[in-house]
Amino acid sequence: MKACLVFVLTISLSAAAQCFAAHAADGDTHCSGLIGGGTAVTNINGNVTVPEGKSCTLSFVNIKGNVRVERDAVLIVSAYTEPSEIRGDVDARNCRSVLLQGNVTVGGNLSIDSCNGTAWNGFQGPDVVIRGDFECRSNAGPCLAWLGSVGENVRIQSNKSQAASDISLVSVKGNLNCDGNSPAPTHLHGPSWVDGRSQGQCAGFSTATTSIATPVTPTPCASLAALPASGFPVPNTVITSAVDTPAANGLPQRCIVSGYVNRHISPVDQCQYVDGFQLQLPANWNGRFMFQGGGGTEGAVPTATGGISGNSTFGIVNGYAVATQNGGHFNSDLALAGCDSGYGNANEFYLDPLGTIGQAYYQSIEVTTLTAKYLINQFYGNGPDRSYWVGCSTGGRQGMVMSQNFPSFFDGIIAGDPVYDQEALGLSETYGVEQILNVYNTNPSLPPLSYVPQPAPQPPGPILYPAFPVADQALLETALLQACDALDGVADGVIDNLPACRAKFDPATATYTAGGATYRLQCIGAKDATCLSPAQIAAVKKINQGPRNSKGRVIAAPAGAVAKDHVTNIAQGYAWDGGWMTTVGIPTRKIGAPGRVPGDFSLGVGTFGYAFLSPPQPTFYTLNFNFDADLGMLNPSTPIVTYSTSADIRRFVDYGHKIIWYHGLSDPGPPVLGTIKYYEDMAQQFGGLERAQQFSRLYPVPNMGHCSGGAATDQFDLLTPLANWVENGVPPGPVLAKGVNFTPAVYQVSFVSGPATRTRPLCPYPQEARFTGNVSLVGGVPVASNPADLADPTKYQCIATRPPHPEKRGDNE
């Protein structure tokens, strides 16, 4: 079966607007005028009828039953400010017209038959979802199917209208059939993606490529701002500027285009939301398009220069047209007076249904992709030959959203350190910080906790650093490296034999040597400068294991179990690695620094009450979350998680597209175990790792923190081998990577030696790197005979390690 583009289903309104009082009506309802449009979703627990000759507008509604449109009646579903859902059918016969606009889901069929008005009949997105059939027949007005998804068949038949019907940018799981229409249908805004057959008057309307372009006469840069709005692939698109920019500061001559889609004021919180974007079009274009993924909760449009690991301008310098976007909101807008609902800060958008769809869901990246491809075609005269996604963190999750739900958009995807199950990550981060808080609370010698104010309405954050200062961090890192560093054959500050380390290192029984003496890591008696307290040892072990309740049972994030073919939703721990307790590891996110709260308090922990409690509780003090009693508070389903946790990427693979993941093994944010487990679960969908490696790779990066940093080779180019794989069929093997921070200061220990700058191969999982240079024993420890060899990538090889054990996917111990 030919692959198709699956537009993501709209958010469940009953879940999305929980924090606001929803209006409800029981039984069947007649609509003449407006239903909905308020500050909360209107729930109708029955059917809706538009009576004969009446006009009805539905806005921000959740209708449990069907909608029937009677003779000479008009129905408009307006969903550009908030989404709407009709769980049954929409049936219109002998009406005047029916049009669905914006983010509308119809659970059944959309049928418009023999309507006599001259207005458009059908839908225009983005993201109208018809789960059943769409039939538009024998109408006096033209039919419209623009920017949406149909779960079954589309039939456009026998319509006689002044304007031509149009079918553009629609995902059709069944057949697309057009016959007997006068005039014949068009596809003005681009082709569609059809699993079945495109036939009749719509033959040739579908595509199997990532391009939506038809060659045109090139448009000068400044003139892009004057393109007619009707030509854009997404409604409500505005270009605010198009500036021809000369080469300077190492950047090429380029056209920089800025704009936005669907600027609106939310009825929920009175905030302005808008999908903002930037596109840079280089004069030295290589024929390719690169989407640069976002970070954090976004809220601004990054400069679209095409950053990859260690090189912020790689894309634009190498000839890629590059796009970025803001996640559907500007933080500056959320900070304006009158935009608060009592919760006015950068997390405000989580409380707005369409705001969530824009950022955590998908819509901002979807509309930016389509708009960028259109502008590329207008500027160069042709669309991109190939399209690539590159992102880390939030950008990594967004890449996974695209592979799972928009498989026709990108030929290749790079997803780094992805936060694909944010609820599970929130649990891991909260649990980890709670362990350090427990160390503080059980140490009577420490002064009372001090706090740092956080953005209202969140409570102040605690200063936990005294519970685990740098000197104590160094003890843990020393014992870890001494136990595990040499297990791969050489002591070089990098732990390359992770299975052996996992089996050997236990902080409770570990010893280390310093100054010719051997010490136990865990104190036997009173705490002193040579050992860690039992509470400290217990904390690091629990952080390593991952969230558990008081009975030792692992914790699963319920929202992660909603997606079809979902991966494991166990909240993961943080596996031992050479950077575990270094300056980019656990301390940055779980411990903090003098006078500074742990990084997680303003990241996963800070957003926890907004996004992952049901109903949301922005003022909830997350460090009081009880892993025995409070699990029932967790959000059972949220699109922040649902649309990036499926292991089924068959449509993406069927197109012949490729995907590469990478992840820092010392990432203190999303645990690398989560990405490894996703990769293993995904591979099982395709018959195992060997088959999955025909279209995918995973590159773990030893010692690297979140997306970069540490005593790690964190500068690497995965885009070039990805493009070579996509375009020339050459699968990537080991990838050379450079690092410049292999220094004792970064390790937080004094005994690590070797070149500060090194180049090593990154090995595709499950392979690991092994040093092949000469070694000598010094004090019984293997070290490089020539330390310079540690910087020579020819002195390493990637070797196969033991295969993973899928039956243990939920167990970190």
Side-chain angles (χ1 to χ4, degrees):
M1 182 179 69
K2 188 171 72 173
C4 75
L5 170 66
V6 180
F7 281 83
V8 186
L9 306 181
T10 48
I11 187 171
S12 173
L13 298 181
S14 57
Q18 295 174 79
C19 53
F20 304 98
H23 307 293
D26 292 321
D28 293 346
T29 301
H30 283 72
C31 177
S32 176
L34 172 67
I35 291 181
T39 60
V41 63
T42 296
N43 290 308
I44 299 176
N45 298 318
N47 302 312
V48 172
T49 297
V50 186
E52 182 175 344
K54 301 298 182 179
S55 179
C56 170
T57 298
L58 302 174
S59 178
F60 201 14
V61 297
N62 185 356
I63 299 172
K64 188 174 182 178
N66 305 312
V67 174
R68 183 163 61 93
V69 187
E70 296 187 337
R71 179 180 296 273
D72 294 326
V74 174
L75 172 67
I76 295 175
V77 184
S78 178
Y80 284 124
T81 59
E82 294 296 349
S84 287
E85 181 176 8
I86 301 165
R87 300 186 186 179
D89 298 325
V90 175
D91 184 62
R93 298 180 187 277
N94 301 304
C95 71
R96 288 188 63 193
S97 63
V98 172
L99 184 62
L100 282 54
Q101 299 174 305
N103 204 295
V104 183
T105 291
V106 176
N109 303 315
L110 172 60
S111 178
I112 307 169
D113 192 345
S114 303
C115 295
N116 56 35
T118 58
W120 289 101
N121 291 298
F123 63 83
Q124 65 177 44
D127 304 311
V128 173
V129 175
I130 313 298
R131 298 184 192 271
D133 294 319
F134 172 46
E135 295 187 344
C136 191
R137 300 178 299 189
S138 303
N139 299 296
C143 295
L144 182 65
W146 177 18
L147 200 57
S149 172
V150 178
E152 299 294 340
N153 301 302
V154 173
R155 166 159 275 189
I156 311 298
Q157 183 181 32
S158 301
N159 299 285
K160 312 296 182 183
S161 55
Q162 292 182 345
S165 297
D166 189 77
I167 299 91
S168 299
L169 303 173
V170 182
S171 166
V172 183
K173 286 190 176 181
N175 297 318
L176 169 60
N177 185 57
C178 304
D179 60 84
N181 300 284
S182 179
T186 62
H187 56 294
L188 294 178
H189 300 285
S192 293
W193 297 268
V194 181
D195 271 15
R197 293 172 301 196
S198 299
Q199 50 196 359
Q201 292 173 308
C202 290
F205 279 25
S206 64
T207 181
T209 73
T210 58
S211 176
I212 63 169
T214 299
V216 297
T217 302
T219 301
C221 180
S223 298
L224 293 176
L227 290 171
S230 60
F232 281 89
V234 182
N236 306 316
T237 300
V238 175
I239 303 301
T240 56
S241 66
V243 181
D244 201 351
T245 306
N249 302 317
L251 299 177
Q253 180 182 350
R254 60 209 185 278
C255 177
I256 302 178
V257 185
S258 296
Y260 61 83
V261 176
N262 194 30
R263 174 177 283 172
H264 66 280
I265 301 297
S266 164
V268 171
D269 59 11
Q270 304 306 307
C271 298
Q272 178 173 273
Y273 290 90
V274 59
D275 298 312
F277 63 83
Q278 182 182 98
L279 173 67
Q280 296 205 19
L281 303 162
N284 62 329
W285 188 43
N286 63 13
R288 303 182 180 105
F289 167 52
M290 172 185 174
F291 201 126
Q292 176 182 321
T297 57
E298 301 184 279
V301 179
T303 302
T305 51
I308 63 173
S309 300
N311 188 337
S312 63
T313 62
F314 179 91
I316 201 71
V317 168
N318 286 281
Y320 287 83
V322 182
T324 57
Q325 50 77 56
N326 70 337
H329 64 276
F330 287 104
N331 288 340
S332 56
D333 288 339
L334 301 184
L336 293 175
C339 163
D340 53 32
S341 292
Y343 308 118
N345 62 33
N347 292 314
E348 166 77 20
F349 72 90
Y350 280 119
L351 306 180
D352 182 88
L354 196 58
T356 301
I357 288 171
Q359 195 278 335
Y361 208 7
Y362 62 85
Q363 194 161 284
S364 187
I365 55 179
E366 172 204 359
V367 301
T368 297
T369 300
L370 295 170
T371 304
K373 290 183 179 182
Y374 173 77
L375 288 168
I376 289 169
N377 188 55
Q378 295 297 312
F379 182 67
Y380 295 113
N382 208 342
D385 297 322
R386 300 289 185 175
S387 297
Y388 296 97
W389 177 280
V390 180
C392 193
S393 189
T394 291
R397 172 181 60 79
Q398 291 169 332
M400 294 174 69
V401 168
M402 301 313 280
S403 71
Q404 295 169 32
N405 301 285
F406 295 86
S408 69
F409 275 25
F410 295 97
D411 298 277
I413 291 173
I414 297 173
D417 295 47
V419 288
Y420 70 91
D421 189 337
Q422 285 187 268
E423 186 175 69
L425 169 59
L427 291 170
S428 297
E429 292 182 331
T430 298
Y431 185 80
V433 178
E434 282 186 1
Q435 305 317 307
I436 304 301
L437 176 61
N438 184 64
V439 175
Y440 201 110
N441 289 336
T442 56
N443 188 342
S445 66
L446 295 176
L449 276 169
S450 59
Y451 293 86
V452 174
Q454 300 296 300
Q458 293 172 254
I463 303 297
L464 300 181
Y465 173 80
F468 221 123
V470 165
D472 289 349
Q473 297 169 25
L475 295 180
L476 188 283
E477 183 69 13
T478 295
L480 173 60
L481 288 176
Q482 288 188 1
C484 294
D485 188 1
L487 295 175
D488 53 34
V490 64
D492 57 355
V494 181
I495 299 172
D496 280 317
N497 191 337
L498 296 177
C501 182
R502 182 178 179 181
K504 178 177 181 180
F505 184 64
D506 181 351
T509 59
T511 61
Y512 70 94
T513 60
T518 299
Y519 302 92
R520 285 184 59 101
L521 181 60
Q522 178 170 315
C523 302
I524 299 298
K527 170 78 172 77
D528 61 32
T530 68
C531 61
L532 301 180
S533 70
Q536 290 175 311
I537 293 293
V540 296
K541 290 190 67 171
K542 288 181 177 180
I543 292 171
N544 168 253
Q545 291 175 340
R548 303 286 196 273
N549 64 16
S550 62
K551 295 181 180 180
R553 294 173 182 166
V554 298
I555 303 299
V562 175
K564 181 180 181 293
D565 296 313
H566 69 86
V567 298
T568 178
N569 60 324
I570 298 295
Q572 302 297 322
Y574 296 86
W576 305 123
D577 179 61
W580 204 88
M581 197 60 104
T582 67
T583 58
V584 300
I586 293 299
T588 62
R589 302 284 284 263
K590 312 293 183 277
I591 298 172
R596 297 176 59 184
V597 299
D600 281 344
F601 199 81
S602 59
L603 293 166
V605 175
T607 61
F608 200 83
Y610 284 84
F612 304 118
L613 297 184
S614 178
Q617 300 181 48
T619 59
F620 181 78
Y621 186 59
T622 312
L623 296 186
N624 285 339
F625 187 84
N626 187 302
F627 282 80
D628 285 316
D630 293 341
L631 295 177
M633 297 171 61
L634 294 173
N635 198 332
S637 177
T638 168
I640 303 165
V641 174
T642 304
Y643 293 95
S644 53
T645 53
S646 173
D648 183 5
I649 58 171
R650 292 183 184 276
R651 291 183 176 89
F652 180 82
V653 174
D654 286 346
Y655 270 110
H657 298 165
K658 313 297 183 186
I659 184 167
I660 292 176
W661 287 268
Y662 69 88
H663 204 127
L665 288 171
S666 290
D667 191 336
V672 67
L673 288 176
T675 301
I676 291 173
K677 290 176 184 297
Y678 177 91
Y679 190 62
E680 293 175 358
D681 286 2
M682 180 278 300
Q684 288 184 50
Q685 296 278 327
F686 294 90
L689 280 175
E690 185 174 349
R691 291 186 180 179
Q693 287 173 346
Q694 295 174 9
F695 59 84
S696 66
R697 291 288 190 275
L698 166 61
Y699 289 91
V701 187
N703 284 22
M704 190 175 82
H706 184 56
C707 295
S708 65
T713 49
D714 62 347
Q715 301 175 28
F716 47 85
D717 169 17
L718 290 173
L719 182 53
T720 298
L722 175 64
N724 195 30
W725 194 10
V726 167
E727 298 170 21
N728 301 312
V730 180
V735 173
L736 293 185
K738 180 181 178 181
V740 298
N741 294 314
F742 289 88
T743 62
V746 174
Y747 286 106
Q748 302 198 146
V749 298
S750 60
F751 61 87
V752 173
S753 61
T757 297
R758 305 182 193 178
T759 300
R760 290 166 36 107
L762 300 180
C763 300
Y765 180 84
Q767 297 181 23
E768 294 177 345
R770 291 293 185 269
F771 181 66
T772 59
N774 294 325
V775 298
S776 304
L777 291 178
V778 177
V781 177
V783 298
S785 301
N786 177 16
D789 286 349
L790 297 174
D792 182 354
T794 67
K795 301 296 184 182
Y796 295 85
Q797 66 176 359
C798 293
I799 68 166
T801 59
R802 65 176 185 173
H805 298 282
E807 70 277 10
K808 297 183 179 180
R809 288 199 309 271
D811 186 3
N812 296 341
E813 296 180 315

